[in-house]
Amino acid sequence: MSDTRQPVGPVDASVHPRYAGIATFARLPRIEEVSSADIAIVGIPFDTGVSYRPGARFGPSHVRESSRLLRPYNPAQDVSPFAAAQVVDAGDIPANPFDIGEAVAGIETAATALGERVSHIVTVGGDHTIALPLLRAVNKKHGPVAVLHFDAHLDTWDTYFGAPVTHGTPFRRASEEGLIDLTASCHVGTRGPLYSKQDLDDDERLGFSIVSSVDIEERGIETAIERVRRRVGDKPLYISIDIDVLDPAHAPGTGTPEAGGMTSRELLRMLRALSDLNIVGADVVEVSPAYDHAQLTGIAASHVLYELVTLMAAQVAAARVAGAQVAEAHVAEAQVAG
């Protein structure tokens, strides 16, 4: 039997001004305000793993404030995500700011528990260290996943100051732990100087293909989309987005900015082109509001999250319809047999 419950959507902006009230993402209900949920947006205010400018611990609250103007219908995808699925704001996962190991373990535990309550989690960081425990949690449900990693940087380095878990190492650790599909993972938007050519050799060995910012500039966004889709295929897909994949002109509020990045429009276009892929989770990280101006970075991040939620909501709705059709077919078969 199909689920006839109507999702609880955002606060009505014609009754309650957008600048009023508690800032949940897109003014959605909190998870405790609904009986069940399909998609949870959760913050992880942690930035102890950064190697340069700090402040991403304030990212979740900044992105929530920046999301107040989002509306219920997404015309670019022709989907009303908050009507297609029950989307909620699940608050923040607390993480020990003085102990990276304890923080990572706690994030994994909390994300695993949240994943048992909802079908999809979209995380707002926080620095990119959090991708490792999130991938560990996803792996428990889906096994090794394709990772589509939007970032100025590879994040497959080995250590910083001897520390193996930082915001520059999550995907090396994930590859070593068998969390990612080595045949289907890809970086998008990488650019800027590296320590040596060995960085690229190591990255390929760890299971990543690269669509760099130069590739996008020279061959165009449609070619980049084609390469990504061919690489990922039909594998379970985890999308990890460091906001510094955008050029600093579009996202100045981040910890390790690099010139020559993607535009907001290019990033949103690429995400919308993934609507038929099997997306099982996502994160948006490295928003550091102390370096933001006029909410440029927060607004970009909130729209990226909105597109991710829309993709997932459409999948939830399609799965619900398919499940209802299967159930109806079983009823019909039983009636014929009876």
Side-chain angles (χ1 to χ4, degrees):
M1 182 178 296
S2 62
D3 189 343
T4 59
R5 291 173 300 176
Q6 293 298 312
V8 179
V11 173
D12 186 347
S14 67
V15 178
H16 302 280
R18 295 186 182 279
Y19 46 80
I22 297 172
T24 60
F25 181 80
R27 310 185 81 200
L28 286 163
R30 299 187 300 275
I31 193 169
E32 61 268 20
E33 295 177 322
V34 300
S35 58
S36 64
D38 301 303
I39 302 168
I41 297 151
V42 65
I44 303 182
F46 173 84
D47 67 358
T48 307
V50 299
S51 58
Y52 193 47
R53 302 194 306 200
R57 66 182 61 186
F58 301 108
S61 59
H62 186 66
V63 173
R64 287 184 176 106
E65 282 290 344
S66 302
S67 74
R68 287 180 178 271
L69 202 57
L70 293 174
R71 300 177 182 90
Y73 173 63
N74 186 334
Q77 295 195 48
D78 190 23
V79 174
S80 296
F82 309 138
Q86 180 61 70
V87 188
V88 296
D89 190 318
D92 289 342
I93 293 174
N96 188 331
F98 302 109
D99 188 320
I100 292 179
E102 183 177 320
V104 166
I107 293 167
E108 179 185 351
T109 298
T112 300
L114 182 59
E116 294 173 352
R117 299 180 60 184
V118 300
S119 62
H120 294 78
I121 299 173
V122 186
T123 306
V124 192
D127 74 54
H128 225 151
T129 308
I130 69 173
L132 178 59
L134 293 173
L135 283 170
R136 287 172 177 169
V138 166
N139 185 262
K140 294 172 185 176
K141 291 180 69 173
H142 301 282
V145 294
V147 172
L148 181 54
H149 172 219
F150 291 86
D151 201 322
H153 311 96
L154 301 173
D155 287 3
T156 51
W157 286 290
D158 191 11
T159 63
Y160 284 100
F161 298 93
V165 179
T166 73
H167 77 157
T169 69
F171 299 110
R172 178 182 284 255
R173 302 286 90 84
S175 178
E176 293 169 347
E177 293 179 18
L179 305 179
I180 71 173
D181 189 319
L182 304 183
T183 69
S185 296
C186 185
H187 304 297
V188 177
T190 54
R191 61 191 187 275
L194 300 172
Y195 294 105
S196 74
K197 190 176 184 300
Q198 185 65 41
D199 292 343
L200 296 174
D201 296 336
D202 289 349
D203 191 73
E204 183 178 5
R205 175 178 56 80
L206 291 163
F208 285 92
S209 175
I210 296 175
V211 179
S212 69
S213 284
V214 172
D215 293 330
I216 295 171
E217 177 188 5
E218 293 180 348
R219 297 175 178 85
I221 196 70
E222 298 306 320
T223 298
I225 289 170
E226 181 182 348
R227 287 182 59 188
V228 166
R229 289 178 55 83
R230 187 167 59 246
R231 175 72 173 173
V232 173
D234 60 356
K235 305 295 178 61
L237 174 62
Y238 186 90
I239 301 174
S240 185
I241 303 175
D242 186 326
I243 205 63
D244 73 18
V245 72
L246 299 179
D247 190 89
H250 297 265
T254 192
T256 48
E258 304 279 359
M262 296 175 69
T263 67
S264 300
R265 183 168 56 203
E266 288 172 334
L267 177 55
L268 297 176
R269 171 71 185 96
M270 288 199 75
L271 293 176
R272 291 164 185 157
L274 308 177
S275 60
D276 59 336
L277 300 188
N278 181 21
I279 303 169
V280 298
D283 63 60
V284 178
V285 300
E286 300 286 356
V287 174
S288 186
Y291 302 98
D292 204 5
H293 307 285
Q295 291 187 327
L296 288 177
T297 313
I299 289 168
S302 69
H303 279 261
V304 167
L305 284 158
Y306 182 66
E307 296 299 332
L308 291 168
V309 169
T310 302
L311 293 170
M312 294 178 182
Q315 290 186 3
V316 168
R320 186 172 291 131
V321 169
Q325 291 173 342
V326 170
E328 290 171 1
H330 287 164
V331 170
E333 289 173 2
Q335 289 173 342
V336 170

